[in-house]
Amino acid sequence: MQKPIKDINQERLRDKVHLVLKVNYFTSFFSLLFCVLCLFLLNIDQVIPYVFLTFGLLNLINTLLYHVHKNLTLTYNIVSIMTLAGATMVTLFSGGINSPFIFVLALIVFAGYATTRVYGSIYLYMNLLIVVLIYAQSVTDFEFAPNVVPEASKDLFALLSILFSVYLLGGVFGKNLLQAHHNLYKSKNEIEARIQEKETLLKEVHHRVKNNLQTVSSLLSLQSRSISDEKVKNLIKSSQNRVISMAMVHEMLYMRKDLTRIEYKSYVQELSEYLVKSVKGVKNNIKLKIDIPDIKLGIDTAIPLGLLINEALTNSLKYGIKDDNAGEIHIALKQEDEKGYILNIGDNGVGFPEALNFKNTKSLGLKLIHNLARQLKGSITRDASKKGTNYIVKFREVGHQFQSVA
């Protein structure tokens, strides 16, 4: 059984916390050890051992305080600033630009990039500035920080400094970062597997919904065969077309990579061609003119808009363009702003009286068109400047919601 994504993210956070705390404990231990070595082995009794002692104790307190406030970013930045200050002081008082301890400054940049790119960049530029200032101090006549390392201890101090840098880089940072990288790679694979599993499941859901809607359409078709009343038969056929318009949305979602949005031009093209054949037959004199750019709409907008287009086209094919007469149906959709759209839809048929509207008609189609426009947070108006019946629908893309079209 695969782990939930939430558990995987928690594991990654624990690995990051473990890495930072482990590095902190190691640097505190080695700082205190370096303090002892400076005092009793290298005979350094000014500034440097006390910098190591202060850093070691403060960093230990800082690490222990993490268990109280649980703020990893705070803990990391405090230790980074203390390391930067401490390493700068040791470098200044052990030879300046020629001090072997200067390489510890580079470790701070390395640790910063291991945490985040932002912190790595910040500490990189801070270190570059500090190195330039150390160099400037070394070449001027004003000796701000004298070299307190005895001549007899310089080589041993250099050896210990390099060993300290190499061990931190390879033994502490390198080892833990390699483990963290391994865990991150493992977590990445697990998350990708979970996403793939969810996408497969979502496709299956859309596929099943489409199949169920097609089953409903087939049942309606079977029911209509046993009915002799043409009016009732037409009502059932209209309901069947509405079901098909919804089924097409789910079909397009599971057949494409994007499981949340559909390319609306291909959907409208397919729906329009189906409705023309359904109402007028395979051989007809209807010309479809569709002008829709590359627009993708979410399912919560695509379905009600598809139903609106279905009703408008059905009315045009039934009442606007009579019998086998030639006619043109046009559909144009354009984006007005980020979430605002304008739909122009209509025919060049006989039209209907201006006084007739969704409020004073018994036509379910007209009522649905106006209610669906309202569901899309939009408005619908008749375009009287063109021949036939034409609508201008202004609407906005809606989020996840359920609204009745009644």
Side-chain angles (χ1 to χ4, degrees), residues 272-287:
S272 303
E273 290 173 357
Y274 163 79
L275 289 172
V276 170
K277 291 176 183 176
S278 175
V279 177
K280 294 293 188 181
V282 177
K283 293 182 179 180
N284 57 74
N285 296 312
I286 304 299
K287 181 181 178 183

Side-chain angles (χ1 to χ4, degrees), residues 30-54 148-150 153 156-157 160:
F30 281 113
S31 292
L32 295 174
L33 178 62
F34 227 112
C35 170
V36 174
L37 291 175
C38 285
L39 289 172
F40 300 103
L41 180 64
L42 301 174
N43 296 317
I44 303 173
D45 55 5
Q46 296 181 51
V47 183
I48 294 177
Y50 305 107
V51 172
F52 282 121
L53 177 64
T54 303
V148 297
V149 180
S153 303
L156 186 54
F157 177 81
L160 292 174

Side-chain angles (χ1 to χ4, degrees), residues 255-270:
M255 289 180 66
R256 288 164 173 76
K257 288 184 179 181
D258 192 342
L259 298 175
T260 58
R261 304 173 74 80
I262 67 168
E263 297 169 358
Y264 219 65
K265 182 177 181 178
S266 57
Y267 168 72
V268 172
Q269 185 78 43
E270 189 175 331

Side-chain angles (χ1 to χ4, degrees), residues 333-368:
L333 179 64
K334 65 179 181 180
Q335 191 163 1
E336 195 174 26
D337 51 43
E338 187 179 353
K339 288 192 175 183
Y341 299 87
I342 297 177
L343 171 70
N344 294 88
I345 184 168
D347 60 73
N348 63 349
V350 297
F352 62 87
E354 287 291 329
L356 186 66
N357 58 55
F358 74 99
K359 292 180 180 179
N360 59 23
T361 181
K362 293 181 180 179
S363 169
L364 177 61
L366 278 179
K367 290 181 182 295
L368 276 175

